Amino acid sequence: MKSLRGITSEDLFQITWVNDPTPSPQGGQLVYVSRKTNEARDGYSSHLRLINLENQKERPFTSGDKDHAPAWSPDGSQLAFLREHEGKTQVWLIASDGGEAQQISHLKYGVSSLLWSPDGLNLLVKSSVDMSEKDENETEDIDKKLPQELVVDRIRMKSDSGGLWNGRRTHLFRVPIEGGEAIPVTTGHYDVGDYAWSTDGESIAWIAQFPEEGEEHNDYTLTNHVYRAKADGSDVQQLTPEGYSFGRLTYAPDGQSLALLASDRSYGNATLVKLYTLPISGGQPVCLSKDWDVQINHSLVGDMRSHLTNTGPVFSRDGLSILCLATIEGSVRIARFARDGSHAEYILPDEKEFYQFAMLENGQIVAGVADVLHPGDLFLYTQPDEVGAEPIQLTHSNPQLDEEIQLSTPETFWFDSSDGLRLQGWMLKPAGMVEGVKVPTILEIHGGPHMMYGFTFMHEFQILAAQGYAVVYINPRGGLGYGQQFVNACRGDYGGGDYRDLMEAMDYALSRYSFIDESRLGVTGGSYGGFMTNWIVGHTDRFKAAVTQRSISNWLSFYGVSDIGFFFTEDQIGGNAWDDTEKLWKHSPLAYVGNVSTPLLILHGEQDLRCPIEQAEQLYVALKRRKQTTRFVRFPGANHELSRGGHPHLRVRRLEHIAGWFNEHL
């Protein structure tokens, strides 16, 4: 029998991700995206693969190394997809039986998404539009060798994913399949979100927030609307009332209504996303999931996926029900709601992460599914309504994880907090643990805070387990998956009940797992988890080493430097930097830096605009000035997504720094 080895950080270079299962409307086959790291270019490569659903045989379908977002034509004769070529992403077209793909869009700033028209003659695509309205001659006269100033006139002047605002807005264009210029469909000082083409092709609907009358930007508004227009963009109508934040939409098969994922913002940023329907004439949205205290969306934290398109809502072929992803108690499941509101239910198993799915013409479901030992594969559920029915596994993307590597399987536990909350957590034992030997243990804390740990593969946790650490991770109050009051419970109380939950989780783990060495405890987390790591080391010395990642240390400066600083701080902490200085400082870990004695490693991306690196610099300088044990690692070119979708070699180095610090101090 072949001996298994422990997983390493460099195994990231061998992992394959499978995304975007897209069945042909003709039946019998589907296309999906296969994505891997490109070690030579320190990036990622992706191409499309075709699976025959009858015999499960597959083959490469496109030859590009940055192909994604596949979409079949309505008759199944062609496949449109996005390809990055010579630094720009455009729409390409390939016949269903293969051959050479042809580029059909030539938009100046590329294309970010696409939809077929119901008649198959056009594509509706999203692209950027320069709103600066500079004269072309003026632009040509600029000496490109000289540095140019950036004139800013809006509060939302940057984003973690896009950098400094470049004066562009995202809008819709119609691209004829037979060729010709792309035709603008929407225009104005707003950004188009999700969009859909009506079933008859006569109209389109999209999500946006038009600026108030007399305003050029809509930066202060956290809600938006659904708009409907003729297919050419004329006769625009606002369909929805004030007070909602809409995320996804789709037309019903009969074209008479829309299904929507939205929040009514009754609990600010902590409000659960619900499923709504809306007549195409507009009016008050009807909530189909009002009796479910559940997040109707994918909100599971992991380090294997980044920037995936969330699936849903998806209508059944007869239009009588709507399928969505739902985040619940560590799982992401598929939920089905009757369109008339008469009933709702989960289908398919729990204790997994269903991260994408698609419905076939015959009602079968193909889904991307991950679990605690696998980053994800495609499965065909031929009997989605039959409890216990075994699916057909269509892809086997990472056989090395079964054949070569010894992984640890986490154990779920539940306990009651001191104030009566039911909390869920996991224990990941060290791989190859010897009975009777005590082991060092790491507490991991998720970001968000309105996200959730759960039943998915975590490379970072498995690396720590491979190096002899037990890993404890829980969902403290503020996380999703346990109802509206639970997710709202940390707002205005950062470092209060959430801190107690984490400490009580360690107390519970120590009482339950006798192999934990209480003298060798570590703690780490990123984003909100980084904030909480900073908070912990300022309030207790029970941990002998800590690693804080892309963290918050000072709410006063965060308010003005983060891309979400002003509204996130007001929503989560409950104040601003000038009227509520004492409140923001009270909740800032930097205020307690004088108490820190735990050796602290600080990891941060240079281009992180969500939690800018000055947050790390303040903490590091304060600790250094106090001559505490600390180290600061800065990752060039890395934003807030470093651990999930950053440069592969920096992702590897990050994992090595985490394990190295704990090895050094534990």
Side-chain angles (χ1 to χ4, degrees), residues 498-542:
D498 48 1
Y499 169 68
R500 294 194 301 273
D501 290 347
L502 293 163
M503 295 304 98
E504 291 172 10
M506 285 307 306
D507 294 339
Y508 176 82
L510 284 162
S511 69
R512 175 167 176 165
Y513 302 103
S514 60
F515 55 80
I516 296 178
D517 185 345
E518 188 172 6
S519 69
R520 291 188 292 162
L521 301 180
V523 60
T524 185
S527 196
Y528 165 80
F531 159 85
M532 190 53 68
T533 299
N534 298 341
W535 186 269
I536 286 170
V537 298
H539 287 79
T540 179
D541 60 1
R542 74 186 300 185

Side-chain angles (χ1 to χ4, degrees), residues 209-509:
Q209 178 57 57
F210 288 9
E212 297 290 334
E213 186 174 350
E215 297 286 336
E216 186 176 12
H217 304 294
N218 46 22
D219 288 355
Y220 302 98
T221 306
L222 301 179
T223 57
N224 54 27
H225 286 287
V226 177
Y227 298 92
R228 182 169 171 261
K230 293 180 180 178
D232 62 2
S234 63
D235 193 21
V236 177
Q237 300 174 335
Q238 178 181 307
L239 302 184
T240 48
E242 298 293 334
Y244 291 87
S245 178
F246 297 97
R248 299 298 309 278
L249 61 78
T250 188
Y251 272 91
D254 61 12
Q256 296 306 301
S257 64
L258 295 163
L260 306 155
L261 296 186
S263 155
D264 66 7
R265 295 199 58 80
S266 53
Y267 293 86
N269 285 3
T271 309
L272 295 180
V273 171
K274 299 284 189 178
L275 172 64
Y276 295 84
T277 58
L278 181 74
I280 58 169
S281 58
Q284 188 68 37
V286 176
C287 185
L288 296 187
S289 63
K290 64 180 182 300
D291 297 327
W292 278 36
D293 197 12
V294 174
Q295 169 87 346
I296 306 299
N297 214 344
H298 180 292
S299 301
L300 177 61
V301 171
D303 58 5
M304 289 287 96
R305 267 173 290 283
S306 179
H307 304 308
L308 279 189
T309 301
N310 271 341
T311 304
V314 175
F315 277 93
S316 60
R317 297 307 175 194
D318 59 14
L320 298 180
S321 60
I322 305 170
L323 278 67
C324 302
L325 295 176
T327 296
I328 176 71
E329 295 183 352
S331 300
V332 179
R333 304 193 65 181
I334 297 179
R336 180 168 56 198
F337 297 86
R339 184 177 172 183
D340 63 6
S342 59
H343 66 277
E345 61 187 340
Y346 290 114
I347 60 174
L348 308 181
D350 62 355
E351 296 196 353
K352 295 182 182 295
E353 177 200 6
F354 283 81
Y355 56 90
Q356 288 177 320
F357 71 91
M359 182 171 287
L360 279 63
E361 292 290 336
N362 58 9
Q364 297 178 356
I365 292 174
V366 60
V369 187
D371 61 32
V372 294
L373 299 179
H374 299 94
D377 273 301
L378 299 184
F379 292 81
L380 177 62
Y381 292 85
T382 58
Q383 299 170 296
D385 288 313
E386 186 173 322
V387 177
E390 288 297 316
I392 299 170
Q393 186 168 348
L394 300 176
T395 63
H396 298 79
S397 56
N398 292 287
Q400 75 281 7
L401 294 178
D402 294 316
E403 299 168 2
E404 302 174 14
I405 297 173
Q406 182 182 17
L407 297 173
S408 180
T409 302
E411 171 189 325
T412 308
F413 62 82
W414 291 81
F415 70 98
D416 293 322
S417 71
S418 57
D419 58 352
L421 288 180
R422 191 79 172 145
L423 301 175
Q424 184 181 22
W426 289 262
M427 163 57 78
L428 187 70
K429 296 177 182 178
M433 188 179 74
V434 178
E435 190 71 27
V437 176
K438 287 196 176 273
V439 299
T441 301
I442 311 298
L443 173 64
E444 289 267 5
I445 310 171
H446 68 65
H450 309 312
M451 297 294 287
M452 176 187 76
Y453 277 146
F455 297 99
T456 193
F457 181 84
M458 295 292 289
H459 190 196
E460 177 181 327
F461 297 2
Q462 291 290 347
I463 285 173
L464 292 171
Q467 299 210 15
Y469 297 97
V471 180
V472 173
Y473 51 108
I474 77 158
N475 290 322
R477 68 190 69 196
L480 287 163
Y482 309 92
Q484 181 62 79
Q485 295 306 316
F486 189 94
V487 73
N488 190 58
C490 74
R491 289 174 72 214
D493 189 38
Y494 275 40
D498 48 1
Y499 169 68
R500 294 194 301 273
D501 290 347
L502 293 163
M503 295 304 98
E504 291 172 10
M506 285 307 306
D507 294 339
Y508 176 82

